[in-house]
């Protein structure tokens, strides 16, 4: 199957009102980029079922007009336990499906209430809505929260995926549930890819002093992405041409010298060895992740 046309949708009136910033879309796009999939566009919508349905209907029409072309919509938000959460309602209306209880999610919610000394009968209908999914959908289990996610079919090769808007829940669900589905469903481009870490530099400076000078490679088909962290950036380069990737890596290593390394963990390890130092941690979670 060819590359899907990917749209990422974030819902929340706090986003469209400017009170919060949509960080989910950028994170998802970066994850997809690293896997070899390109995102066509982002859409940010308020908690308004009419507006949400207008956009979802357009996406479904694109999928049904040309069944040979794969369409993928990934939406975050609107799966919570408040009256302005409309994602399930819109998914049911879009697909014409009825809703059904995901028993595993229901038991998880019940245990959550029981652990706080409450009974199942104490659970409000709005809260219970978090354990419902459209019938015949693929469940995306939530190991970090209560609201279950799901994937529904729009056409033969096209799907609509819904995940919670809470970043920690969305990220866990994306990596453990949605990503394996995408790997099985859609093929990736035959891309050559390299990653480099650049130390003590910000994303803006990197773009102006290095990327801005690589117009010949970008024009020839080189794609790049940057993940900025405190004290360093992670630069990803990919192309269907191996020669383009090799050339940009050669240029970046010459330009930045020792500030450019292949692997963040390898660099930390080498720094410790060079100074005959060791690293200790004081709690088990950090130690386990480090190990």
């Amino acid at each position: 199957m060819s590359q899907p046309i990917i749209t990422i949708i974030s819902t929340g009136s706090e986003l469209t009102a400017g009170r919060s910033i949509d960080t989910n879309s950028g994170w998802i796009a970066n994850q997809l980029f690293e896997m070899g999939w390109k995102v066509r566009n982002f859409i940010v919508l308020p908690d308004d079922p009419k507006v949400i349905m207008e956009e979802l209907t357009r996406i479904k029409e694109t999928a049904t007009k040309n069944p040979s072309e794969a369409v993928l919509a990934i939406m975050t938000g609107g799966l919570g336990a408040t009256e302005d959460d409309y994602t399930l309602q819109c998914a049911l209306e879009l697909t014409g499906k009825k809703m059904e209880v995901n028993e595993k999610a229901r038991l998880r919610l019940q245990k959550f209430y029981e652990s706080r000394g409450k009974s199942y009968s104490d659970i409000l209908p709005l809260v219970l809505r978090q354990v419902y999914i459209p019938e015949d959908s693929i469940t995306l289990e939530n190991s970090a929260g209560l609201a279950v996610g799901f994937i529904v079919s729009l056409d033969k090769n096209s799907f609509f995926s819904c995940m919670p808007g809470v970043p920690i829940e969305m990220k866990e669900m994306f990596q453990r549930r949605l990503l394996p589905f995408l790997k099985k469903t859609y093929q990736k481009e035959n891309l050559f890819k390299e990653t480099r870490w650049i130390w003590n530099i910000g994303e803006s400076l990197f773009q102006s002093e290095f990327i801005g000078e690589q117009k010949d490679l970008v024009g020839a088909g080189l794609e790049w992405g940057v993940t900025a962290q405190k004290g360093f950036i992670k630069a990803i380069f990919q192309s269907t041409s191996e020669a383009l990737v090799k050339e940009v890596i050669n240029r970046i290593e010459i330009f930045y010298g020792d500030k450019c390394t292949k692997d963040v963990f390898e660099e930390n390890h080498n720094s410790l060895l060079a100074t005959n130092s060791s690293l200790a941690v004081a709690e088990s979670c950090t130690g386990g992740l480090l190990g």
Side-chain angles (χ1 to χ4, degrees), residues 41-58:
N41 61 321
F42 295 168
I43 301 175
V44 180
L45 302 174
D47 294 313
D48 183 332
K50 181 179 179 181
V51 175
I52 294 172
M53 281 305 303
E54 287 174 355
E55 294 295 342
L56 293 181
T57 300
R58 290 192 188 100

Side-chain angles (χ1 to χ4, degrees), residues 195-268:
T195 302
R196 290 295 183 271
W197 278 260
I198 317 297
W199 299 87
N200 301 317
I201 187 175
E203 181 178 354
S204 296
L205 180 58
F206 172 71
Q207 291 190 40
S208 63
E209 72 178 11
F210 183 76
I211 294 297
E213 301 300 319
Q214 313 307 317
K215 294 178 181 179
D216 58 329
L217 300 184
V218 173
L222 179 73
E223 295 183 331
W224 60 277
V226 173
T227 301
Q229 301 290 341
K230 187 176 182 179
F232 67 92
I233 62 170
K234 176 184 176 184
I236 307 160
F237 302 97
Q238 63 183 29
S239 174
T240 54
S241 168
E242 185 178 15
L244 285 179
V245 176
K246 286 184 175 180
E247 178 59 26
V248 76
I249 293 302
N250 179 59
R251 294 183 188 183
I252 199 172
E253 289 179 343
I254 292 174
F255 190 89
Y256 287 109
D258 293 341
K259 291 173 65 177
C260 176
T261 61
K262 287 185 178 182
D263 188 286
V264 62
F265 301 108
E266 179 181 317
E267 177 63 18
N268 288 337

Side-chain angles (χ1 to χ4, degrees), residues 36 103 130 206:
E103 187 61 21
Q130 297 177 98
F206 172 71

Side-chain angles (χ1 to χ4, degrees), residues 93 111 126 152 162 175 193 203 212 221 233 246 265 276 280:
E93 184 177 343
K111 289 179 180 178
L126 279 175
V152 293
C162 300
Q175 292 174 328
K193 184 174 69 175
E203 181 178 354
I233 62 170
K246 286 184 175 180
F265 301 108
N276 195 29

Side-chain angles (χ1 to χ4, degrees), residues 8 24-34 37 39 42 174:
I8 299 177
N24 285 348
S25 295
W27 186 88
I28 293 171
N30 187 62
Q31 297 295 308
L32 294 172
F33 179 81
E34 290 194 26
W37 290 300
V39 173
F42 295 168
F174 178 90

